[in-house]
Amino acid sequence: MGPSGRSTTTTSLITGITGQDGTYLTDLLLSRNEHVVGLVRPGDPRRAEFESGHPAVRLVEGDLGDQASLNAALEAANPDQLYNLAAMTMVGQSFSDPETTAQINGVGVLRLLEAVRMVNPEIHFLQASSAEMFGIPDEVPQTEKTAFHPRSPYGAAKVYAHHITINYREAHGIHASSVILYNHESPLRSEEFVTRKITRAAARIAAGLETTLHLGNLAAERDWGFAGDYVSAMQLAVAAPVPGDYVIASGKTHSVEEFCELAFSKVGLDYREHVKVDPALFRPLEPFRLVGNPLRAYTELGWEPATTFDELVGMMVEHDVALIAGQLESSRQTR
Ligand code: GDP
């Protein structure tokens, strides 16, 4: 026990713990011998799978739409650190459900900060901000000082969350930081995102299970990195002596088409023979020239991405090839 009677082991509460980033962050913090508590929404469909893979993690229930539940969760978890990774994550879907997006991705963050202020203002807070806030940026690459011009309800809600995080830092002295995350992918990415959609399709087509992959805008470009690298930046920001905002990016862009070319080439296929463009999959608006300059994270936090684009695509394709081989094998055995 420390002088305050609290355990000297750091306790982190993670919202959105059952998602891609929550899972990588949990594994990182557990490897550092920290205690991890997860906040889950009542009825989270991924809860059981997360629990079976992470028996050391305690879960408490709470909803970003409900202030009282967040206060109660903070009381129950008594964390030193709070990572907010919960969000309505699909940019495309935010156009059809802008109000829920604003409630969860925007005002939900205010509610968490209010819970910190009321329950224990000593908690270090981390907001997962997004490159979508830049939308059409004034400058390329973007830094922490680049003006915001969001191009989606998702991006607009994230701008509010980013500003309210800074506001609680300045108005209430809370150690509240933001990491402005560019797209970050992994084998745990859900198939609603284009990267996993492509790697899964490449693996299925290579296994002879499918022939065609339907995609939207192949010219869209993103600054893609590996989620496992990006959660390290979150941990470094929370542990830093002073709070701040940090662009977390690879600094390089690739198009959806380049992603396809590389993913299909890794299974010995030519994407041009399998990818078909479907105009129904285009979005009403797209961000433009999103590429981040992570220099501040490098100089102040010592963070830099370890995984290259080629390694990321390779890791995702390999995972999906193995997954499909396993599925085929188990269906053969049950026949
Ligand atoms: P986002 O940057 O968070 O929206 O990540 P996504 O992986 O969902 O989308 C990245 C880019 O891929 C966007 O510009 C999409 O328009 C483009 N894209 C092209 N085809 C598809 C598709 O079939 N699904 C998704 N999700 N995105 C696609």
Side-chain angles (χ1 to χ4, degrees):
M1 291 284 173
S4 62
R6 290 173 65 92
S7 161
T8 47
T9 304
T10 302
T11 298
S12 292
L13 177 62
I14 304 175
T15 76
I17 194 165
T18 60
Q20 167 189 266
D21 294 1
T23 303
Y24 279 103
L25 181 61
T26 297
D27 292 342
L28 173 69
L29 298 181
L30 291 177
S31 76
R32 295 172 52 82
N33 294 318
E34 295 190 15
H35 286 154
V36 176
V37 184
L39 182 87
V40 287
R41 184 166 46 95
D44 182 337
R46 294 175 300 194
R47 178 177 183 153
E49 191 186 343
F50 181 86
E51 274 180 317
S52 74
H54 297 87
V57 175
R58 184 159 67 99
L59 298 180
V60 294
E61 287 199 344
D63 188 328
L64 262 62
D66 174 2
Q67 183 73 59
S69 78
L70 299 178
N71 292 18
L74 260 66
E75 299 274 7
N78 193 20
D80 306 288
Q81 308 182 337
L82 171 57
Y83 293 86
N84 180 35
L85 310 184
M88 206 298 289
T89 54
M90 264 86 79
V91 174
Q93 195 183 313
S94 78
F95 286 94
S96 50
D97 199 355
E99 188 176 342
T100 308
T101 306
Q103 276 298 337
I104 302 306
N105 297 11
V107 186
V109 182
L110 169 67
R111 294 192 191 98
L112 273 177
L113 286 161
E114 271 294 272
V116 169
R117 187 181 68 77
M118 289 189 272
V119 174
N120 176 10
E122 298 301 314
I123 292 171
H124 286 205
F125 178 82
L126 190 281
Q127 167 61 9
S129 285
S130 165
E132 280 288 319
M133 302 190 302
F134 295 122
I136 302 189
D138 293 345
E139 53 182 356
V140 179
Q142 295 87 49
T143 73
E144 296 78 10
K145 292 191 163 68
T146 304
F148 297 137
H149 184 157
R151 294 267 279 174
S152 60
Y154 173 95
K158 285 279 185 180
V159 169
Y160 172 77
H162 186 78
H163 284 309
I164 202 68
T165 300
I166 294 170
N167 183 256
Y168 271 60
R169 175 161 84 216
E170 293 176 351
H172 303 295
I174 290 170
H175 190 295
S177 296
S178 285
V179 280
I180 305 175
L181 301 167
Y182 283 65
N183 292 49
H184 47 290
E185 318 295 311
S186 77
L188 298 183
R189 201 53 147 157
S190 74
E191 287 163 39
E192 284 93 358
F193 291 87
V194 77
T195 52
R196 186 75 196 285
K197 185 175 171 181
I198 295 167
T199 59
R200 184 174 178 274
R204 286 182 67 81
I205 292 169
L209 298 174
E210 280 169 21
T211 53
T212 308
L213 167 63
H214 293 277
L215 291 175
N217 185 2
L218 295 186
E221 294 191 342
R222 288 292 186 279
D223 176 336
W224 276 299
F226 172 46
D229 292 341
Y230 287 30
V231 299
S232 305
M234 300 180 188
Q235 188 274 325
L236 291 168
V238 164
V242 290
D245 306 313
Y246 302 95
V247 162
I248 304 300
S250 78
K252 298 184 183 75
T253 51
H254 297 275
S255 67
V256 171
E257 189 159 10
E258 283 174 80
F259 196 106
C260 287
E261 185 177 8
L262 189 54
F264 278 79
S265 76
K266 291 202 182 277
V267 288
L269 296 174
D270 182 342
Y271 78 102
R272 289 169 298 188
E273 290 170 12
H274 301 281
V275 171
K276 298 264 175 302
V277 171
D278 177 353
L281 295 171
F282 278 63
R283 294 184 184 169
L285 279 179
E286 285 274 7
F288 188 61
R289 302 189 73 196
L290 289 186
V291 51
N293 178 355
L295 184 63
R296 182 169 181 207
Y298 178 70
T299 50
E300 293 187 18
L301 302 177
W303 179 85
E304 58 185 330
T307 311
T308 64
F309 181 68
D310 189 282
E311 287 165 348
L312 172 66
V313 177
M315 174 199 310
M316 292 177 71
V317 171
E318 255 173 54
H319 171 89
D320 282 330
V321 166
L323 195 68
I324 282 156
Q327 285 166 356
L328 288 175
E329 183 56 33
S330 67
S331 74
R332 233 174 264 127
Q333 282 170 4
T334 51
R335 246 184 270 135

